[in-house]
């Protein structure tokens, strides 16, 4: 066979530069294994050295009727050779495993983007379930995108035929065939996935080999089919990274590891009391595998029992931890008041989701800020910390532990459905760089006698293990007498104790607020908290690249707020607060600092797009 060789000139190379980042979305029925496919593609992408961010998006129904619009599960990944801080505004590639997946996701695909569709699933029955009057693969309705449709179902059946699987079992390998094609498209190594399949199906080697065969067949199809037009192989170079050991973490994993690191730095054991709820359940799952670090996990019968068991553990001398989402946090409210009244250390993780009530169980939102800061009966102050990304959740968990044990108070740590489920590379830190904050239990009777509610320089009362000789004391939810902790209904005492609890929280050592990007004063500040960090940061970076006077401030310590924050905010002419709620942080900032903060709200269950924040910046500075 004759071949022609052409040496690419520098001018030609610069005219067609390699993409710095690519966004791919896998979508299919909730039984098609899209989250598994996305997770393994994420693994291969991390091993290739790309920076990445992911966004799993799945239905609330445990098993929605197959082929229906509300049963679609999707997984989006943005990966590239530069810093990646969001899962991407619009996909470049959409892999649609059935008509419903196509219909619910295609409008998000950028014009000219590539659709890869499983033609074998576009029969009359599935088209009807997706409410298509005609087959979109043939009627020209997808003309503004590139379309590549072939029968993935049949190709999978052909690939696994030698293993004697039934039709249903064989089609379960379809996600691996699709993954194999994606690995070829983006020049990824199959071996880590093959190793994972062998480990996963170690007790069912036939299933392992069938899935490996499907994976290899998908890869070979891209390699040998000589498809015309849109089907090309793309190589995305590795992103520059600080030297060190990296791993990919989700927010739930990161929080779990951070809690373990925190109790190690404090020198205490940890008890986790939890009750299953989306998307917080993963924290219980991860911590249950870390018993060797002195971690006890308990799946309680309900949310109230979960937090009550954690408070009991804190009374006994371990650090109690519990987690939930908005509805469960509401149920825990009275017990949080008990922890505040008894002044025991406790960490409460709130993985926020769409609400109110059951709301949107599998979608993300930031609508629990009022609940975290104000949402308990009586004056019940509690420190609140918000993580900005999956990797950041590690340090936030350590900070929550530090505040809880040093100030003898419950602490709420806010994440959300996006942070909990999303993944990103994490540089595993050197724990020698973290200063220990060892717990000191009171073990002997002080001179002058024992006062259970005596205060140290942080206004924290002593932590006493039950049964310590000479240190018997009362505990409970009725108002305490100043110093002794005895029951006291007196008006002056209640005023003094309420102010003491308030001042203890307001006196917590919180680092000064830094500017994440830009100047410490100017025309416009974009102020965010939690998972809005990525889209805000990218939008501000792009705007500053165009010469606009805009800065990014991101608040970790929601309550108490950093001492310099008010003066910092007053250095800007305008303030915009993007939030996935109706303006909760905006209201707190107005209340605390009397600044004219303007809201930018999104309550769709989806994260902000960079373009949405860019548009708000342009409008504010027009």
């Amino acid at each position: 066979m004759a071949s022609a060789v052409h040496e690419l000139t520098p001018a030609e190379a610069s005219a067609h530069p390699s993409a710095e980042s690519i966004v791919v979305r896998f979508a299919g029925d909730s039984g098609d294994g899209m989250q598994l496919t996305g997770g393994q593609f994420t693994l291969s992408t991390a091993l290739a050295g790309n920076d990445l961010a992911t966004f799993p998006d799945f239905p609330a129904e445990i098993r929605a009727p197959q082929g229906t619009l509300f049963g679609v599960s999707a997984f989006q990944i943005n990966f590239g050779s530069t810093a990646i801080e969001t899962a991407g505004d619009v996909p470049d590639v959409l892999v649609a495993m059935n008509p419903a997946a196509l219909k619910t996701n295609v409008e998000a695909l950028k014009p000219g983007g590539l659709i890869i569709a499983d033609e074998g699933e576009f029969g009359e029955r599935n088209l009807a379930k997706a409410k298509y009057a005609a087959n979109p693969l043939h009627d020209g309705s997808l003309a503004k995108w590139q379309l590549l449709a072939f029968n993935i179902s049949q190709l999978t059946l052909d690939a696994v035929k030698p293993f004697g699987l039934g039709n249903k079992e064989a089609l379960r390998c379809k996600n691996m065939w699709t993954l194999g094609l994606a690995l070829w498209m983006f020049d990824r190594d199959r071996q880590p996935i093959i190793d994972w399949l062998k480990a996963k199906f170690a007790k069912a080697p036939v299933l392992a080999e069938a899935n490996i065969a499907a994976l290899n067949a998908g890869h070979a199809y891209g390699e040998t089919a000589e498809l015309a037009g849109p089907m090309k192989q793309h190589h995305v170079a590795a992103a520059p990274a600080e030297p060190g050991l990296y791993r990919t973490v989700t927010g739930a994993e990161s929080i779990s590891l951070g809690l373990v690191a925190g109790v190690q730095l404090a020198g205490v054991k940890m008890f986790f009391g939890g009750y299953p709820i989306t998307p917080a359940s993963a924290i219980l799952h991860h911590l249950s595998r870390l018993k060797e670090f002195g971690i006890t996990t308990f799946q309680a019968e309900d949310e109230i029992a979960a937090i009550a068991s954690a408070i009991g553990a804190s009374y006994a001398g371990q650090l109690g931890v519990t987690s939930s989402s908005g509805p469960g946090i509401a149920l825990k409210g009275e017990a949080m008041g008990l922890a505040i009244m008894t002044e025991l250390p406790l960490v409460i993780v709130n993985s926020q989701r769409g609400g109110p009530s059951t709301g949107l169980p599998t979608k993300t939102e930031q609508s629990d800020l009022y609940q975290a800061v104000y949402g308990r009966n009586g004056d019940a102050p509690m420190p609140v910390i918000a993580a900005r990304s999956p990797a950041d959740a590690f340090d936030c968990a350590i900070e929550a532990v530090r505040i809880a044990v040093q100030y003898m108070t419950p602490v709420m740590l806010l994440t959300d459905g996006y942070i909990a489920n999303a993944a990103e590379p994490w540089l595993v830190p050197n724990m020698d760089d973290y200063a220990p904050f060892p717990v000191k239990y009171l073990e002997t009777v002080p001179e002058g006698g024992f006062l259970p509610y005596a205060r140290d320089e942080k206004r924290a009362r002593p932590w006493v293990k039950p049964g310590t000789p000479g240190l018997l004391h009362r505990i409970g939810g009725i108002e305490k007498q100043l110093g002794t902790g005895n029951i006291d209904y007196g008006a002056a005492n209640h005023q003094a104790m309420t102010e003491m609890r308030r001042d203890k929280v307001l006196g917590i050592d919180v680092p000064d607020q830094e500017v994440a990007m830009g100047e410490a004063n100017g025309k416009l500040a974009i102020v965010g908290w939690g998972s809005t960090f990525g889209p805000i940061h990218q939008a501000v970076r792009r705007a500053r690249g165009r010469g606009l006077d805009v800065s990014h401030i991101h608040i970790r310590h929601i309550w108490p707020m950093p001492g310099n924050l008010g003066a910092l905010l007053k250095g800007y002419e305008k303030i915009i607060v993007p939030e996935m709620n109706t303006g909760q942080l905006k209201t707190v900032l107005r209340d605390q600092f009397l600044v004219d903060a303007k809201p930018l709200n999104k309550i769709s269950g989806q994260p902000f797009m960079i373009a949405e924040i860019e548009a708000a910046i342009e409008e504010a500075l027009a």
Side-chain angles (χ1 to χ4, degrees):
M1 181 183 291
S3 61
V5 177
H6 170 68
E7 189 172 338
L8 198 67
T9 67
E12 289 171 327
S14 61
H16 302 282
S18 298
E20 287 190 341
S21 68
I22 294 175
V23 181
V24 179
R25 183 181 295 182
F26 300 94
D29 194 75
S30 55
D32 283 339
M34 293 296 94
Q35 304 304 321
L36 193 67
T37 302
Q40 292 307 306
F41 187 76
T42 299
L43 170 64
S44 68
T45 300
L47 291 172
N50 298 129
D51 197 8
L52 63 93
T54 71
F55 178 47
D57 188 18
F58 37 83
E61 289 78 11
I62 292 172
R63 190 68 177 88
Q66 199 166 357
T68 55
L69 293 170
F70 54 88
V72 173
S73 176
F75 186 101
Q76 183 163 307
I77 176 170
N78 182 12
F79 58 96
S81 57
T82 57
I84 300 293
E85 284 155 341
T86 78
D89 279 12
V90 290
D92 299 289
V93 179
L94 170 63
V95 179
M97 304 301 284
N98 64 10
L102 179 68
K103 188 160 196 175
T104 55
N105 289 279
V106 72
E107 291 302 327
L109 188 65
K110 76 173 187 181
L114 174 62
I115 300 168
I116 298 175
D118 179 7
E119 198 168 27
E121 290 293 319
F122 280 70
E124 285 185 16
R125 190 177 178 196
N126 279 349
L127 289 168
K129 286 181 181 178
K131 297 181 170 44
Y132 274 119
N135 191 332
L137 304 183
H138 304 142
D139 67 1
S141 61
L142 305 177
K144 68 177 178 179
W145 299 286
Q146 302 178 76
L147 175 62
L148 189 60
F150 44 90
N151 196 332
I152 295 174
S153 298
Q154 187 58 53
L155 289 164
T156 303
L157 290 172
D158 294 343
V160 304
K161 190 175 181 180
F163 301 96
L165 301 179
N167 232 41
K168 191 175 178 182
E169 267 190 322
L171 285 173
R172 283 181 184 160
C173 301
K174 193 165 59 170
N175 63 333
M176 285 298 114
W177 195 102
T178 308
L179 178 58
L181 181 64
L183 293 178
W184 173 82
M185 277 188 73
F186 299 105
D187 196 18
R188 298 279 181 262
D189 184 12
R190 281 167 288 164
Q191 193 57 47
I193 313 300
I194 292 170
D195 294 341
W196 173 80
L197 285 167
K198 287 180 176 177
K200 179 177 175 61
F201 295 110
K203 294 181 179 178
V206 173
L207 287 179
E209 291 304 321
N211 277 281
I212 291 167
L215 180 82
N216 289 336
H219 191 278
Y221 190 82
E223 211 169 28
T224 62
E226 298 182 5
L227 295 164
M231 191 67 164
K232 299 180 179 69
Q233 191 170 46
H234 302 264
H235 177 77
V236 180
E242 183 184 341
L245 174 65
Y246 284 82
R247 60 165 291 182
T248 300
V249 288
T250 64
E253 290 173 322
S254 185
I255 280 179
S256 302
L257 294 170
L259 289 169
V260 172
V263 295
Q264 296 283 319
L265 291 166
V268 297
K269 291 184 177 181
M270 185 177 99
F271 174 94
F272 181 92
Y275 180 75
I277 184 170
T278 303
S281 301
I283 297 171
L284 172 60
H285 301 161
H286 292 304
L287 286 172
S288 67
R289 296 193 286 266
L290 299 173
K291 292 181 174 64
E292 67 269 26
F293 296 104
I295 310 300
T296 301
T297 53
F298 167 58
Q299 181 174 313
E301 64 269 29
D302 56 45
E303 296 282 9
I304 298 170
I307 188 170
S309 66
I311 292 171
S314 292
Y315 176 59
Q318 296 194 10
L319 177 64
V321 181
T322 190
S323 80
S324 192
S325 300
I329 296 296
L331 290 167
K332 295 177 190 289
E334 183 186 358
M336 287 184 217
L338 175 62
I340 290 166
M341 179 64 81
T342 55
E343 298 187 50
L344 287 167
L346 180 71
V347 175
I348 304 130
V349 182
N350 181 357
S351 302
Q352 301 165 94
R353 69 189 205 186
S357 187
T358 308
L360 308 175
T362 60
K363 308 301 179 186
T364 192
E365 208 164 273
Q366 291 181 299
S367 52
D368 295 351
L369 186 140
Y370 286 161
Q371 185 186 38
V373 177
Y374 305 122
R376 291 161 295 281
N377 66 293
D379 278 289
M382 181 189 296
V384 180
I385 299 168
R388 72 186 194 187
S389 69
D392 183 56
F394 177 82
D395 286 327
C396 288
I398 292 175
E399 178 70 346
V401 172
R402 179 189 73 84
I403 291 173
V405 299
Q406 287 191 338
Y407 292 86
M408 293 293 286
T409 179
V411 179
M412 188 172 289
L413 173 55
L414 294 174
T415 70
D416 58 41
Y418 175 67
I419 291 176
N421 294 319
E424 67 178 358
W426 173 53
L427 175 59
V428 179
N430 180 358
M431 292 310 297
D432 292 338
D433 297 335
Y434 289 76
F437 40 87
V439 163
K440 295 178 181 175
Y441 300 101
L442 183 62
E443 296 177 334
T444 57
V445 179
E447 285 185 30
F450 170 50
L451 290 175
Y453 280 74
R455 308 285 165 174
D456 64 12
E457 69 283 358
K458 291 184 169 68
R459 298 188 179 91
R461 78 172 187 87
W463 196 357
V464 180
K465 290 182 180 181
T468 306
L471 302 181
L472 185 69
H473 62 287
R474 295 175 184 271
I475 204 80
I478 297 178
E479 183 61 279
K480 306 295 174 213
Q481 188 178 69
L482 198 66
T484 69
N486 295 332
I487 293 172
D488 191 328
Y489 299 114
N493 179 76
H494 180 55
Q495 173 108 15
M497 286 298 287
T498 300
E499 290 173 352
M500 175 67 74
R501 290 187 290 264
R502 176 201 65 194
D503 293 344
K504 179 175 76 168
V505 171
L506 291 178
I508 288 171
D509 177 24
V510 170
D512 277 352
Q513 181 64 49
E514 296 180 349
V515 179
M517 181 181 290
E519 312 304 325
N521 52 64
K523 289 186 177 178
L524 176 63
I526 308 297
V527 181
W529 67 281
S531 65
T532 56
F533 178 86
I536 293 175
H537 211 62
Q538 290 281 24
V540 170
R541 178 182 287 128
R542 292 179 186 178
R544 289 180 62 82
R546 297 193 299 275
L548 298 182
D549 184 0
V550 57
S551 300
H552 176 198
I553 295 170
H554 217 75
I555 302 173
R556 172 184 279 183
H557 289 271
I558 303 295
W559 197 265
M561 289 184 158
N564 68 328
L565 182 58
L568 181 62
L569 293 178
K570 287 174 181 174
Y572 299 94
E573 295 175 23
K574 295 182 178 181
I575 298 168
I576 295 176
V577 185
E579 300 180 78
M580 293 185 288
N581 58 45
T582 54
Q584 297 185 16
L585 178 65
K586 171 268 301 177
T587 303
V588 174
L589 293 177
R590 286 179 176 180
D591 168 58
Q592 292 297 304
F593 306 119
L594 302 179
V595 293
D596 186 20
K598 303 289 187 187
L600 176 62
N601 305 131
K602 184 172 184 177
I603 319 106
S604 65
Q606 300 292 319
F608 271 100
M609 291 184 178
I610 301 166
E612 292 168 332
I613 298 172
E614 276 190 283
I617 293 171
E618 296 277 359
E619 184 180 348
L621 296 177

